Structures are given as structure tokens and as C-alpha cells.
Amino acid sequence: MDDKARKLKAWGIAALIAAGLSGPAQAAQCGNNSSGFPAWIDQFKTEAARAGISKRTLDRAFKNVRYATKTISLDRNQKSFKLSFDQFMRKRGAATIIAKGKRIKKQKARLFAAIEKKYGVPAGPLIAIWGMESGFGAFTGNQHTMSAVATLAYDCRRSAFFTEQLYAQLQLIQKGWMSPDFKGAAHGEIGQTQFLPANVVRFGVNGDNSAGINLGSSADALASTANFLRGHGWRRGAGYQPGEPNFRAIQGWNAAGVYQKAIAKIGAEIDGG
């Protein structure tokens, strides 16, 4: 075992991710079609074992992994982010999210008050994210998450980024927080506010005093989202519209400008109502 592998094993994958380091699996050869995927998996498993992922975890995690053709297709054709702001708001059903969001804010007033007290984030942007990401938990995805994340880690387009996500997902499986056959969104997003695996490791928190972290629970998902925004610089009491201090934290949630503005707009309508 070389020095790098020894350090990674000693730190554990959580520390690896928290430190913002890229995993050793970057040595595995990426590809742009399914032909090299089986060989990549073999290479990756070797590197992951050197980094401290157990053989049992790797065998369980990769048992049913397949090249995720649908994930690659969606990754190549994210057309909604090319819409104008008004078009995007209509496509995402902003008016419906706002109307339902106002009702939910009242129904879950105690939960949102507790979250704001702890993390400094008001209900509006959390509800906006919740509504846009999963329709308030109505649909959290039906894709095999390990296949989706492994395919994107193999794919050359964003291999380094999704290799980090894959290591995080393996950590969640190894800790027993996630099934190897868990199903989520096409890019590996998890739960009611659609966290990527590395963000579950970094920012996942319990929001309802139950055991563990379950992002299928609205309380855990919303508290974790607030913790994410705080971790990206959210300042208690500051504004979150474009040009205001907390808009930068919203930018950390999604790289698409139209999505960022939608969160801010929908959140303001909910908080104002």
C-alpha cells in the first residue's frame, strides 16, 4: 500500500470528501460509450478497495450495476435550463408551487420555525427547492442510483465530479444508510430535495429526532437543505434575491442561473404570503 492509499484509508471516505480531495479512482479509464464500462468497474473497485471501501460493500454495491443509458441521454439533453426565466417558471409549475407552498408553510409552521431558529434559513427558499425538486416529495425518482452515479463517474464528461459522488454513495452504503439498489433521480440525486451523495455526507442532518438520516423524510430533507445553504454562506436575516447576500448560497444549490432565480422568486412569494 503506497502512502496516498494509506492516508486515504486512515482518513476514511468522509474525510476524503470533506477535504475536497478527488478520489484515487481517477486512475480508472473513462469512456464515452458503454463498451469500456465493465473494465472501468473492475479498475474502480481495485482503487476503491485501496482507499478503504470494504470488499463486501463493493460486491453488494456493484452487483446490479448496469450502464445507465437513460442517465447519459438526459445528461446530454438538459434543455429546460436553456429556457427563458418566464418559460422555465411555467414549465416548472411555479404558480402551483407557490400556492401549495403557502399552505404547507402554515401546516408545518412549527418545523419551519425550528429550522430557521437553528440554521437561519426561512421557509420560502426551502419550500421552493422542495417543490421544484420533487413536487413536495411526490416523485423522488425511479432510476437505479448506483448505476446512474457509476455511469456518470465512468463517462468522460464529468468524471472527476461524479467519482466523488460515487465514493460518497459507497460510504452511505457501507454505513447502512442506503441500499445498494436504492432508486432516485437520473443523476443520482437522493430524497425529497434531491441531494447528491456527497452532499448527504457533508450536510445531511436529522430533522425530526429520529435515528439516522433519511432524506425520504420531509423533516430530514428540509433540515439538510437548510444546513446545505448555511454551509454555502447563508447569513441569518439577510436577503436572498439576486444581488443580495444570500443569493450566493442559492447559487451553490444549482449551477443554472434560471434555476437560481426561480428559487429566489418562488421563495419570496411564499415568504411574503
Side-chain angles (χ1 to χ4, degrees), residues 2-154:
D2 61 26
D3 288 342
K4 181 178 181 181
R6 188 177 294 110
K7 288 178 181 177
L8 292 174
K9 187 170 183 179
W11 286 353
I13 301 302
L16 171 84
I17 293 168
L21 301 175
S22 54
Q26 287 181 335
Q29 182 64 47
C30 71
N32 292 311
N33 57 55
S34 62
S35 63
F37 190 54
W40 179 89
I41 288 176
D42 289 342
Q43 287 180 289
F44 177 86
K45 288 171 70 173
T46 298
E47 297 289 349
R50 293 175 63 206
I53 301 295
S54 72
K55 182 180 185 300
R56 179 174 182 273
T57 296
L58 290 168
D59 289 345
R60 290 174 63 235
F62 282 95
K63 181 179 179 180
N64 294 318
V65 166
R66 302 291 184 271
Y67 185 81
T69 303
K70 182 175 181 179
T71 288
I72 291 299
S73 177
L74 290 171
D75 191 56
R76 299 285 189 271
N77 295 282
Q78 299 186 58
K79 295 178 181 178
S80 66
F81 294 144
K82 298 176 183 178
L83 301 174
S84 71
F85 177 70
D86 289 340
Q87 290 171 330
F88 183 82
M89 291 283 278
R90 287 194 297 271
K91 184 177 178 64
R92 288 301 184 112
T96 300
I97 293 172
I98 291 166
K100 187 171 182 178
K102 289 179 178 180
R103 296 195 298 271
I104 290 174
K105 182 181 176 182
K106 293 178 181 178
Q107 292 165 359
K108 295 182 175 288
R110 182 175 295 181
L111 172 63
F112 287 115
I115 289 174
E116 184 167 8
K117 181 178 180 181
K118 185 168 185 177
Y119 301 103
V121 182
L126 299 178
I127 293 172
I129 290 169
W130 188 19
M132 285 204 296
E133 293 287 359
S134 71
F136 304 105
F139 183 70
T140 57
N142 58 9
Q143 301 301 301
H144 190 263
T145 303
M146 266 299 301
S147 292
V149 178
T151 299
L152 290 167
Y154 159 71

